[in-house]
Structures are given as structure tokens and as C-alpha cells.
Amino acid sequence: MNEERLRCAEAALRQVPEDYRKVDAVVVAGQERGHSFHHGMHIGWVWGEDERGRPCLDFLSEHRHPGMRAQRYFSDGRTEPIRTPASMRAVSPDPTEDAELERRFIEANRAAYADLRERGLLPPVGENITSQDVNEYLTSGSGREVGSGFEETELSKHDRGDDLLGGGWDRILREEIDQPYWRELLAFLAEERGKYQVFPPPSQTFRAFKLTPCERVKVVILGQDPYPNPRDAHGLAFSVPAEVKRRPPSLKNIYKVLESDLSQASGRSVSAPEHGSLEGWAEQGVLLLNTALTVRGGTKQDRAVHRRWRWEGQGWATFTDAVIRAVNDKADGVVFMLWGNDAKEKQALIEIDRHSVITSSHPSPYSARLGFLTSRPFSEANEKLKATGGTIDWGRAGREG
């Protein structure tokens, strides 16, 4: 380990309370650049050289309290300040002068944010889901873009009386979302988003319902939690946006089974889609549902704490029970694919004399070998759907148009 780098990293990390550090000096010293998010604290660092060729570390810490701080560190102990956006602006009783002060404040902050992103101390726009500083929201126009960090929360939309689910589901589940626990769940979710990274972003939490109205549901694929990584989760179980190049391990296993299953069924070689988006399935009537619709990023324990909020009788488990019951009430036969133990627990809610159930282990690398990899759920589902006259083109995963 380079001792000079280690000294710089140790000095930089002293500005961050220990309880808010997810990385130590060894990690910072060993990586050319990186970002860490923990308990609402964002840390960004980049190694480089100054204009005189001297090695240095640019380091940023960002939290609602005490705000954003950034400095450049040298191995000899010297530091140089790095400009960060201001949290307050000067005001004037004169309207014309005050308008000019506001304009200058906005322009200065925009320039500061641009400089920090150019340095690599802030992630690209759209990747810092919940850690984006509030002033960037104020100086970036609407600030409501997907993943901007300042999307309107689910709770805010609910309290305004907006339909949250879409696809006609708000009407179908009206009795459920009028229950007291529903607003408490949304309030908990808003609190979590204020402290941690929570996926997917608010605009995509209920995307499965928007793309697959209840009257069009032919198949339900039931998983567990959304992907706990930035940009992966977008409201559809097991799916990632088409532009995400890396397929999560569970999706890789799903595609392996898809290729094997469809190749055997058709008698010819079938290849999985080149991207990881399953929107095309959703548009054909496949409800891609997780038993929990949000997940806290971080450690396994972080995810468990988020999932277990008021576990008994309240929370996402209760809501997704209601979704399964609503689909079960449909007259046409629906195929339920229950992948993993959490999903299998929902089987008791399904009337198997009217609907079909296909179960297997979860497609994650930890359990796929316990039955999932040898299953043929896609061809089996289509065999069962033939009776109702509508099968799924499993080879069409992307959206049309």
C-alpha cells in the first residue's frame, strides 16, 4: 500500500463521522475513484495530480446535516478547498435586486455542481438516487426526472389524491389502499428514502401495474425484492432497463432457462434477448411482481430491516397478498409462477381449481440449482394458457414501438 496515499485518505476520512463511513482509508487509497453511500452520507473521491504534477486526493462528503464539504489533500498534509454549492443566498428588499441575486445564486450553484461532476466527486446525473443535495434540486429546473433524487414521493402523491398504481388497479384495490396501514407504509417509505438509497425510484415503484392492467393479466411471475443496485430496479420483477448492459445473476439464470425451454419446445435453437428489459412480457399480460415493491440498498441486514417493517399484518406483504387475491378473482384461468420461498407462501391465496400454479426455487445463484435451472416454466405456462386462447411470446421481452 502506498503510504502517502494512505495518509491522504486517513486525513480526508476524518471529516466523516465513523458511524457514517462505509469505506475505510485502505479502500479509498486503493481505488482511483469511487463513491460510497451509508446512512444518508455520500462520500466521493478521485486521485489525480494538480496543475504542477503533484499527486493529490479530491474528496467530498455530503449529508443533509452538515451539508456538502470538499477538499483537495496532499501527502505533506496541505489541503486546498474545493468550491461546493452554497446552501443559502443573499436577499434584498428590492425586488429587482433580489431577482438578480437569485439569478447569480442559481448560476453559481449550477457551475459548482458541474465542476464537482467533472472532477468525478459527484455521480452522473440520475445515479445518486437519494443522496443528491437539495440545492441541486432547486437549481436544476424541475428536478423531477426519473432517478434525479428529488422525485415526488409516493406519500405526497397519495395525500394529494392521485392514483398511485395506474392500469385501473387503484379502483380494483380501493378497499385495500383505503386501509390505515397503507398510508403508514408510504410514510415509512418516504422516511427511508430520506435516509437511505431505496430502489426503485418513486416514479417506478408501481410500474408493473401501469404496464399490466388487471383485466389483461394472463401470467403472474412472483419474485422477492427489487434489485438493490442503482439503475437496475425499475418496478418490474427480475427486469432491468434495456440500457443497462450488465444482467443481474438472477436474470442470467432466467435467460438460461428461457433458451433451454423454448429451444426444446420449438425443436430449434432459441436465443434470449440481447437486453435485460422484460417490458415486452408485461405488455402481453405478464404481471412482474415482487412480494416487496421496494428495497433499501446496502447490506443484507439493511434490506432485511426495510422489508420487515411491521411484518405481521402490515407492509408490502399485506399489499401484495391483496394483489394476488384480486388476480385470483378473475374468471379466466391465470398462470402463477412462484419462484422462491417467499413467493410460494402466496400459493394459499390461489384457487388451484380455476388457476394454474408453477413453482420452483428462486433463480438467484444461491438457489437456482435446487430446481429452477431444470424447470420449463415458459412452455408449461403456454400449454396451460392455450385453453383460454392466449399464449405469451416469451421471445419478445422488449417493448414494441
Side-chain angles (χ1 to χ4, degrees), residues 52-240:
R52 296 168 60 184
R54 296 174 297 181
C56 59
L57 168 66
D58 287 352
F59 187 89
L60 175 143
S61 63
E62 178 187 12
H63 193 274
R64 290 185 182 276
H65 305 286
M68 185 184 292
R69 301 166 59 189
Q71 289 198 98
R72 172 168 285 182
Y73 293 82
F74 296 90
S75 59
D76 61 5
R78 291 182 302 108
T79 62
E80 294 178 356
I82 296 174
R83 186 177 61 152
T84 57
S87 59
M88 298 180 65
R89 72 171 179 89
V91 296
S92 171
D94 179 75
T96 302
E97 184 179 5
D98 192 64
E100 176 62 17
L101 289 172
E102 181 179 36
R103 186 191 67 78
R104 292 177 183 176
F105 170 81
I106 290 174
E107 289 304 315
N109 271 12
R110 281 178 176 164
Y113 279 111
D115 176 64
L116 292 171
R117 292 193 187 281
E118 186 175 348
R119 291 173 183 263
L121 292 176
L122 288 177
V125 173
E127 292 187 17
N128 52 332
I129 304 297
T130 61
S131 301
Q132 185 172 351
D133 187 87
V134 66
N135 293 302
E136 186 171 18
Y137 160 65
L138 294 173
T139 60
S140 63
S142 69
R144 301 291 186 185
E145 295 83 0
V146 173
S148 69
F150 284 88
E151 293 182 23
E152 188 173 13
T153 65
E154 298 92 339
L155 176 64
S156 176
K157 293 178 181 178
H158 169 78
D159 287 349
R160 195 169 58 237
D162 293 356
D163 283 350
L164 277 181
L165 308 182
W169 287 94
D170 296 88
R171 173 182 52 79
I172 293 168
L173 295 173
R174 176 56 55 191
E175 183 176 335
E176 191 68 23
I177 61 182
D178 282 345
Q179 296 293 320
Y181 89 88
W182 179 245
R183 190 187 184 282
E184 293 178 14
L185 172 60
L186 298 182
F188 164 76
L189 183 55
E191 181 181 358
E192 285 278 282
R193 291 193 184 279
K195 296 179 179 178
Y196 310 101
Q197 284 190 300
V198 175
F199 308 110
S203 62
Q204 298 181 342
T205 302
F206 304 107
R207 195 148 177 268
F209 303 99
K210 293 179 174 67
L211 290 182
T212 314
C214 188
E215 65 270 15
R216 293 180 54 197
V217 174
K218 300 176 183 177
V219 177
V220 177
I221 294 182
L222 193 60
Q224 183 171 324
D225 298 300
Y227 295 123
N229 304 308
R231 296 185 298 171
D232 284 356
H234 67 149
L236 305 177
F238 300 108
S239 177
V240 295

Side-chain angles (χ1 to χ4, degrees), residues 228-388:
N229 304 308
R231 296 185 298 171
D232 284 356
H234 67 149
L236 305 177
F238 300 108
S239 177
V240 295
E243 62 270 18
V244 173
K245 303 302 181 185
R246 179 189 57 82
R247 296 175 185 170
S250 293
L251 184 57
K252 287 182 180 178
N253 284 332
I254 291 171
Y255 276 5
K256 284 181 184 178
V257 170
L258 179 70
E259 290 181 341
S260 173
D261 186 0
L262 298 188
S263 294
Q264 291 183 60
S266 65
R268 57 183 177 82
S269 178
V270 175
S271 298
E274 295 182 357
H275 55 77
S277 172
L278 304 179
E279 292 175 326
W281 291 1
E283 291 177 337
Q284 294 180 75
V286 180
L287 182 63
L288 296 162
L289 183 69
N290 282 309
T291 56
L293 300 191
T294 58
V295 64
R296 184 200 293 180
T299 67
K300 185 176 181 180
Q301 180 62 24
D302 284 324
R303 296 194 288 275
V305 169
H306 182 86
R307 169 179 260 273
R308 285 202 299 262
W309 176 77
R310 301 187 70 170
W311 182 263
E312 295 298 330
Q314 310 228 355
W316 285 132
T318 304
F319 175 71
T320 49
D321 279 357
V323 175
I324 297 299
R325 285 195 293 267
V327 177
N328 179 71
D329 288 342
K330 287 170 59 73
D332 296 335
V334 174
V335 177
F336 291 84
M337 296 188 190
L338 311 182
W339 292 347
N341 291 333
D342 284 339
K344 291 176 186 176
E345 290 180 0
K346 306 286 191 185
Q347 186 166 351
L349 305 172
I350 303 166
E351 297 177 40
I352 58 175
D353 58 330
R354 295 193 299 113
H355 304 292
S356 302
V357 177
I358 301 172
T359 63
S360 76
S361 61
H362 194 276
S364 78
Y366 303 103
S367 55
R369 59 183 176 81
L370 301 178
F372 181 78
L373 290 177
T374 56
S375 66
R376 297 188 60 189
F378 306 105
S379 60
E380 185 176 348
N382 273 350
E383 281 298 316
K384 298 178 183 299
L385 288 172
K386 286 179 180 178
T388 58

